[in-house]
Amino acid sequence: MNHSLFEMSGKTVLVTGASSGIGRETAILLSIMGATVVLTGRDTGRLEETLSRMAGDGHKVEPFDLGDVDAIPAWIKRIASQTGPLHGLVHSAGIQHTIPLRVLSAAKLEEQMRTNFTSAVMLLKGFRQKGCVAPRSSVVLLSSVLGLAGQPAVSVYSASKAALIGFARSAAVELAGEGIRVNCVAPGYVETEMAGEIRTKMTPEQFEAISRLHPLGLGTPGDIAHSIAFLLSEAGRWITGTTLVVDGGYTAH
Amino acid sequence: MQKEEFLQHMSAMVDLDEGTLTGLEKLEDLEGWSSISMVAFIAFADEHFSKRVSPRDIAGAETIDDLAGLVGL
Ligand SMILES: NC(=O)c1ccc[n+]([C@@H]2O[C@H](COP(=O)([O-])OP(=O)(O)OC[C@H]3O[C@@H](n4cnc5c(N)ncnc54)[C@H](OP(=O)(O)O)[C@@H]3O)[C@@H](O)[C@H]2O)c1
């Protein structure tokens, strides 16, 4: 086995959602694997905290509100002009609202679609620009098991995560000739801030029920970061347009 | 938000026509009050009152007026 396939030194990766949870853990892991990481999120303090836990140097903190979708491509161009071409993009920024249809407003729908999905499209549009992307690169979008299987009160979140799966397929085909691989990772329930927030809205019995749906138990951010790193690395060079489900068995039954 | 508007939102949450709730209704007597209504109420309290209501708080409420109390009305 060629271990250097997992080597990330000399590679620059942009990670969204790097101020928390899965994005934070991914940034830390990539730094340990040798990558230079550009960390983004809205909260500078929490981005700096991620940075303080990373290995190596040369990483950059670039706060940005991805809700400003039209500004994303120019923002990526500016970053790449400072870091050099990007080898990877991880889109872990996302929001999950638990709202049953009976009280859902179009505004809440659009906020979730914009943060989870529209931003991903504009990130990839920016990433593929000439001068921004290295000759061989890899993009990982964070979908969810809820993009594959249903639950009550999360229909719009599910739709936004399913949209990423469809988008990754066609984008993978469109961008293969440009040397860009595009994949999704679909996690089950991982204990992060997002998950903690959702947990406060459940009774202990409801939480126990969710736990039981995962035969291997609940996941950790590290479980997801490892899969992301695999898809980013040369070990995943023949994988594109797919969704890697990392869910402790949630979708197995 | 005034009480009247609150009652309109509550009607939607329990699947009743607008203007049919007074506030005195017992939740257990309302056919449309379900676990989905509870989730809807939590989302509503968060969106319109920036209040974090827990499932336990809701379990302690007997009437629509008790729910109004949870969001400070
Ligand atoms: N945790 C789970 O169980 C789970 C399961 C399946 C899928 N996922 C997906 O995995 C991804 C990461 O989840 P997580 O649990 O790590 O979430 P998290 O801890 O809540 O972190 C979400 C991240 O998104 C960023 N973000 C949110 N809105 C943003 C905006 N408008 N602009 C820029 N950044 C924004 C936040 O940064 P700031 O607050 O600094 O802006 C934060 O870093 C999400 O896409 C989520 O849907 C999570």
Side-chain angles (χ1 to χ4, degrees), chain A residues 168-183:
Chain A
R169 286 199 195 102
S170 282
V173 176
E174 180 172 329
L175 301 179
E178 300 176 24
I180 304 173
R181 295 187 290 111
V182 186
N183 294 288

Side-chain angles (χ1 to χ4, degrees), chain A residues 6-23:
Chain A
F6 294 91
E7 183 60 54
M8 292 292 288
S9 48
K11 295 188 177 176
T12 306
V13 182
L14 172 62
V15 179
T16 77
S19 49
S20 179
I22 294 167

